[in-house]
Amino acid sequence: MYLFYYDEVKYDPPAQEAFWMGGVAVRSEDLSSIEAKMNDLALKVFNRRLLEHGTEFHGRDIFHGKSSFKGMDSQLRLEIFKELLAICASKEIFRFYIKIIPANFVYPQEPDEVAFMYLVEQIDKFLVRSDSLGMLIGDMDEPKVGPTVASLSQYRDGGTYWAKGTKIDRLIDTVHFARSHHSRLIQLADVYLYARQFYRASYDAVWHQKYNEAIINSGVLSAAISKTWPSERRWYHR
């Protein structure tokens, strides 16, 4: 069975022109080895393995030197980012993302709802190809917990809701949620999605370039599951 840990990057124009949903997946039998790598890095960085607020890894905090990384040398933060990307790129990890571009919507839609529907569809297709089952684990976001659980229940019962809806039968149970300081894999999902949305073909600022190069060199830009929608402004029917 595959466990899919996901996070979101909010749509916030002009700073963020897309809504992103994605993260990392791991086979259940590989989970403990990935957790061990993350805990080893936590020991190296924070001098303790314990899951708590002070030992969290977040891509944005690392880049900007915030929260647990406040006052930390910029080069050291970059090296920590590289080590996390190396874990993301390991053969046991399957990366996935959905990128929604609201500017291309012809009629009003909630980008997070569209992203979640496509996420469920694409994961279910992956599980069919893999002849396996899967479970979703999301970063705790209180207002979205109820609607997200209801949406998956609806998709499992009657398929996704657009004209060419997809039957969902490989994702089991419900959507489970955990706070990021309680899960190393939620933290890894955060770092991966931050890296994926951070990437650009080029940057002018030196430190942006260094992080961009780290992302490119790590190999995490390839993903087992990905979808960008809509790629252009046109009509889509529900």
Side-chain angles (χ1 to χ4, degrees):
M1 187 173 78
Y2 290 83
L3 302 174
F4 293 84
Y5 296 84
Y6 75 95
D7 201 355
E8 301 176 357
V9 174
K10 300 292 192 295
Y11 173 57
D12 184 27
Q16 177 53 256
E17 299 287 354
F19 179 91
W20 296 77
M21 183 176 283
V24 296
V26 61
R27 295 184 182 91
S28 56
E29 59 266 31
D30 294 325
L31 177 60
S32 60
S33 66
I34 298 299
E35 287 180 324
K37 290 180 182 180
M38 293 289 289
N39 286 330
D40 286 347
L41 183 58
L43 180 63
K44 179 178 175 181
V45 174
F46 305 114
N47 295 316
R48 58 193 188 279
R49 300 173 184 270
L50 190 65
L51 279 164
E52 56 185 1
H53 281 297
T55 67
E56 287 181 81
F57 294 105
H58 290 287
R60 185 178 179 84
D61 290 346
I62 294 170
F63 179 77
H64 291 285
K66 301 291 186 180
S67 190
S68 302
F69 301 90
K70 187 175 182 179
M72 188 178 290
D73 177 75
S74 57
Q75 184 61 43
L76 177 56
R77 298 199 318 269
L78 177 59
E79 294 306 316
I80 293 168
F81 188 66
K82 288 179 179 179
E83 291 197 47
L84 288 163
L85 291 178
I87 297 174
C88 285
S90 61
K91 61 182 178 61
E92 296 90 357
I93 292 289
F94 298 82
R95 299 172 298 279
F96 60 93
Y97 71 88
I98 304 295
K99 179 183 179 183
I100 300 297
I101 307 174
N104 289 345
F105 289 176
V106 175
Y107 56 87
Q109 301 170 86
E110 293 297 328
D112 58 323
E113 293 177 6
V114 177
F116 184 70
M117 185 195 69
Y118 276 130
L119 181 70
V120 170
E121 286 187 346
Q122 296 299 314
I123 287 177
D124 205 75
K125 290 176 182 177
F126 171 84
L127 293 170
V128 169
R129 294 193 302 269
S130 305
D131 191 23
S132 187
L133 300 174
M135 184 177 292
L136 282 170
I137 302 101
D139 188 10
M140 179 70 78
D141 187 355
E142 295 287 356
K144 295 297 182 182
V145 171
T148 300
V149 169
S151 292
L152 180 58
S153 177
Q154 176 186 333
Y155 300 155
R156 292 181 63 205
D157 183 56
T160 52
Y161 57 72
W162 284 9
K164 296 182 179 179
T166 300
K167 181 182 179 182
I168 305 299
D169 56 11
R170 295 294 181 129
L171 279 170
I172 63 171
D173 199 15
T174 185
V175 186
H176 296 262
F177 292 92
R179 299 192 185 279
S180 59
H181 62 282
H182 292 160
S183 171
R184 291 295 182 205
L185 272 294
I186 290 289
Q187 294 169 31
L188 194 63
D190 172 286
V191 170
Y192 165 68
L193 197 61
Y194 182 82
R196 194 62 191 77
Q197 62 82 38
F198 183 97
Y199 168 75
R200 302 288 187 278
S202 63
Y203 274 109
D204 293 328
V206 172
W207 274 101
H208 280 79
Q209 289 178 358
K210 288 182 179 292
Y211 275 76
N212 214 37
E213 289 170 3
I215 293 165
I216 294 168
N217 293 336
S218 70
V220 300
L221 291 177
S222 63
I225 299 168
S226 66
K227 186 176 184 68
T228 299
W229 186 90
S231 56
E232 59 185 16
R233 190 172 177 82
R234 54 176 290 189
W235 287 104
Y236 288 83
H237 298 286
R238 296 176 73 156

